[in-house]
Amino acid sequence: MTIDIRRLTGADLKYALDDLAGLRISVFRAWPYLYDGTRAYEARYLSRYAETEGAVIVGAFDGKKLVGAATGAPLGDELESFRAPLEARGYDLSKIFYLAESVLDPAYRGRGIGHRFFDEREAHARSLGFTEAMFCAVIRPQDHPLKPKDYAPLDPFWRKRGYEKLNGVIVTFPWLDVGETEETEKPMQVWHRTL
């Protein structure tokens, strides 16, 4: 079956938030996120997309089922933890579009959907006048006991798309890891490119 990929904004975006929450909980449970999410947390976290002008969800649909999604919003409207490290280094936040989560049911990987997620979010950002894009990638210790032996980082994929690490620019954000009882701050590397 053909996967339908489309940008969701406004009412369509709001309608997709619950399905996105379910995807985040299931996909981010795996390495490197190891996220032990709940619907209540997701409802709070994702509600900002419904309230942010310029926000987008790029949805991948198998029929009516949302099997993947990638989000984005103007960086200036994002959470302070994502804005502050770039602001401190003199970046003009009004030019940067933040590419947030990208989640895809493992059964649908290897079909070029990840490229489409970037293509659609970048096109949306350019249509709004943004000239730069950034995202964050989770940093885990190389010797972490839950790291799969066959794990391959996505760095080559991101570099092929024109993104580079901003050396020394690290964002931290708290979440509950699988097997833990309290949220802890997780470091994330900032990647950036000119659109």
Side-chain angles (χ1 to χ4, degrees):
M1 175 174 260
T2 302
I3 303 302
D4 178 29
I5 297 176
R6 60 184 183 267
R7 291 184 222 168
L8 308 173
T9 57
D12 292 334
L13 180 150
K14 290 177 187 176
Y15 182 75
L17 290 177
D18 190 55
D19 289 341
L20 173 57
L23 275 171
R24 280 176 44 90
I25 290 169
S26 67
V27 173
F28 282 163
R29 193 167 182 83
W31 180 269
Y33 281 87
L34 303 174
Y35 168 61
D36 194 6
T38 66
R39 288 288 181 161
Y41 178 92
E42 289 298 311
R44 285 189 311 274
Y45 177 80
L46 293 173
S47 66
R48 71 187 201 281
Y49 290 116
E51 301 160 4
T52 301
E53 188 174 332
V56 67
I57 295 175
V58 177
F61 293 88
D62 185 346
K64 292 184 178 182
K65 182 182 178 187
L66 185 71
V67 298
T71 61
L75 182 58
D77 294 327
E78 265 297 340
L79 300 170
E80 182 179 351
S81 55
F82 298 117
R83 296 187 323 255
L86 284 103
E87 214 166 17
R89 285 165 177 80
Y91 282 87
D92 182 349
L93 302 191
S94 70
K95 295 179 179 181
I96 305 173
F97 195 78
Y98 177 60
L99 308 180
E101 51 270 310
S102 188
V103 290
L104 183 61
D105 182 313
Y108 294 86
R109 293 179 184 165
R111 301 182 189 191
I113 296 170
H115 280 289
R116 286 287 308 277
F117 283 166
F118 273 92
D119 292 343
E120 293 295 330
R121 289 182 296 175
E122 290 167 359
H124 178 75
R126 283 191 297 272
S127 77
L128 297 175
F130 291 93
T131 57
E132 301 171 56
M134 61 85 65
F135 67 89
C136 302
V138 178
I139 302 169
R140 292 284 187 176
Q142 290 299 315
D143 62 349
H144 193 288
L146 296 179
K147 180 182 177 184
K149 292 190 185 320
D150 62 348
Y151 175 72
L154 292 173
D155 297 25
F157 170 78
W158 296 327
R159 283 196 173 98
K160 196 172 185 180
R161 294 213 47 101
Y163 289 86
E164 289 296 331
K165 292 179 183 179
L166 288 180
N167 290 329
V169 184
I170 305 295
V171 166
T172 60
F173 194 75
W175 67 78
L176 182 65
D177 269 3
V178 172
E180 299 293 326
T181 57
E182 294 181 20
E183 288 185 358
T184 56
E185 294 282 336
K186 311 299 185 299
M188 295 185 282
Q189 173 66 56
V190 174
W191 289 71
H192 174 271
R193 74 163 282 194
T194 300
L195 294 176

